[in-house]
Amino acid sequence: MTRRPPLQPPPTTEARSPARRITMETVGRMAGVSQVTVSRALSDPSKVSPETLSRIQEAIAATGFVPNALAGALASKKSMLISALVPSITNIVYSGMLATFSAELRARGYQILLSETGFDREDEAATVEAHLSRRPDAMLLTGVHHADRTRRMLLGAGVPVVEVWDITDTPIDLCVGFSHPEAGRAMAEYARAKGYRRAAFITAGDERALRRGAAFAERFAQAGGEGPVPIRGDAPASLAGGRALTAALLDEGFADGDGAIIAASSDVLAEGALIELAARGLAVPGRVAVMGFGDQEMAAALSPTLTTVRVNRDALGRAAAQALLTRIGGAAPERQVIDVGFALVDRESA
């Protein structure tokens, strides 16, 4: 008869590889409560007494236990994740808005899953598909023009969606932004009211900026400006891009004579224009005036200070977050389309 080897004691913690996984049951034993009570405290702390919650939190801190968010999401049908897709993470126009948006949602227990999409609609569609596979509770998109399959995926997923930085009468779900054509027209009216006879519009080439440029050109001509108004684009949204676009205009004789203004689709391009004009010894606004868009922090610190268009990014981010929270809560927001507007900031450059 074959004798069984004696049972061996479990290996010491140092010998285990990998280390034994800390479970909710372990946390419960340390806190002196059941696993069900630990689960209840994690999913809804208001359902346990403050004393019990304190003991559970101490046990979690002592063990380093990390709750399984996916398991909780499967049970509650909520992931507590909000997807946010923006063209550029480094652009203050978007990052400033996202800071407020994220703060509002974190205060309600949500975390932001952030991705950069660029300006290509198919790239955005692929990112939307990847995010939906993570089962977010809601999604923020930038702009209102998307690939057809993006709209199909989002409508099929049935998650709340807020489109920001633009407005439309037919949003996927909700939209919070402002009218880009109206902003372009306001820039043109300002330029004509200041007496500028010739104008050009420089842009990095994204769809929203091109709509502002087209509206600017149309209204400038309607208001009696000399035409046609050149719209120069496809340069990076950078100082170098602003310099290059401005240099091309100057090389074609744009600054010959008085009364010329360069309107830019971003403050960064406008700053590049100011650098190029200074390098050529052309006074601003004496010889050529400059306007920007976005009212970034540096706009008021430039010399000359930059005339620009301000959009209240904090108000936009807050309104987008609150609209999503209302929708997630099962109620209908007071408005499906929220126009936060814009303001033209008159400074030295024009």
Side-chain angles (χ1 to χ4, degrees), residues 4-268:
R4 295 180 181 176
L7 293 175
Q8 299 296 317
T12 64
T13 302
E14 290 76 15
R16 293 179 190 140
S17 180
R20 186 174 63 185
R21 181 171 175 268
I22 300 299
T23 67
M24 198 178 297
E25 182 182 3
T26 306
V27 172
R29 288 202 304 269
M30 288 188 66
V33 299
S34 69
Q35 180 177 335
V36 172
T37 302
V38 176
S39 176
R40 186 179 298 122
L42 291 172
S43 61
D44 188 350
S46 66
K47 291 184 177 180
V48 299
S49 70
E51 181 185 355
T52 299
L53 180 61
S54 178
R55 293 205 310 271
I56 291 171
Q57 289 172 336
E58 288 175 4
I60 288 173
T63 59
F65 173 69
V66 178
N68 186 336
L70 180 58
L74 291 173
S76 67
K77 297 184 179 180
K78 284 189 176 183
S79 66
M80 301 306 290
L81 290 175
I82 304 293
S83 291
L85 278 58
V86 294
S88 171
I89 294 171
T90 58
N91 190 327
I92 188 64
V93 164
Y94 304 116
S95 61
M97 175 269 298
L98 281 173
T100 305
F101 177 80
S102 177
E104 289 283 320
L105 291 167
R106 285 201 311 273
R108 298 287 292 274
Y110 290 90
Q111 294 297 321
I112 304 301
L113 187 62
L114 176 63
S115 284
E116 185 176 63
T117 62
F119 294 99
D120 184 273
R121 294 183 188 181
E122 287 304 319
D123 287 345
E124 181 192 57
T127 309
V128 167
E129 184 175 19
H131 275 242
L132 286 176
S133 72
R134 269 69 177 178
R135 299 297 188 268
D137 291 333
M139 184 172 289
L140 174 147
L141 297 179
T142 305
V144 296
H145 295 89
H146 314 284
D148 288 343
R149 76 185 188 100
T150 297
R151 295 184 67 91
R152 287 197 300 270
M153 284 188 292
L154 291 168
L155 291 170
V159 298
V161 176
V162 62
E163 297 165 280
V164 300
W165 211 249
D166 207 341
I167 56 174
T168 176
D169 293 333
T170 56
I172 295 172
D173 185 11
L174 309 162
C175 71
V176 180
F178 60 97
S179 169
H180 289 268
E182 283 300 321
R185 285 189 279 270
M187 294 170 75
E189 290 166 1
Y190 170 90
R192 285 298 296 137
K194 288 284 186 175
Y196 297 109
R197 299 189 304 275
R198 285 175 295 115
F201 194 93
I202 61 175
T203 173
D206 71 272
E207 179 270 333
R208 288 174 293 279
L210 289 172
R211 281 192 283 133
R212 289 199 302 275
F216 176 92
E218 181 182 34
R219 181 56 59 87
F220 192 82
Q222 290 172 347
E226 295 179 11
V229 176
I231 300 175
R232 296 300 170 85
D234 297 329
S238 62
L239 297 180
R243 289 198 67 172
L245 292 171
T246 302
L249 288 169
L250 297 175
D251 290 345
E252 294 172 6
F254 177 73
D256 295 345
D258 297 325
I261 185 169
I262 295 174
S265 67
S266 71
D267 287 350
V268 173

Side-chain angles (χ1 to χ4, degrees), residues 265-277:
S265 67
S266 71
D267 287 350
V268 173
L269 288 179
E271 186 178 3
L274 290 174
I275 293 172
E276 182 63 25
L277 290 164

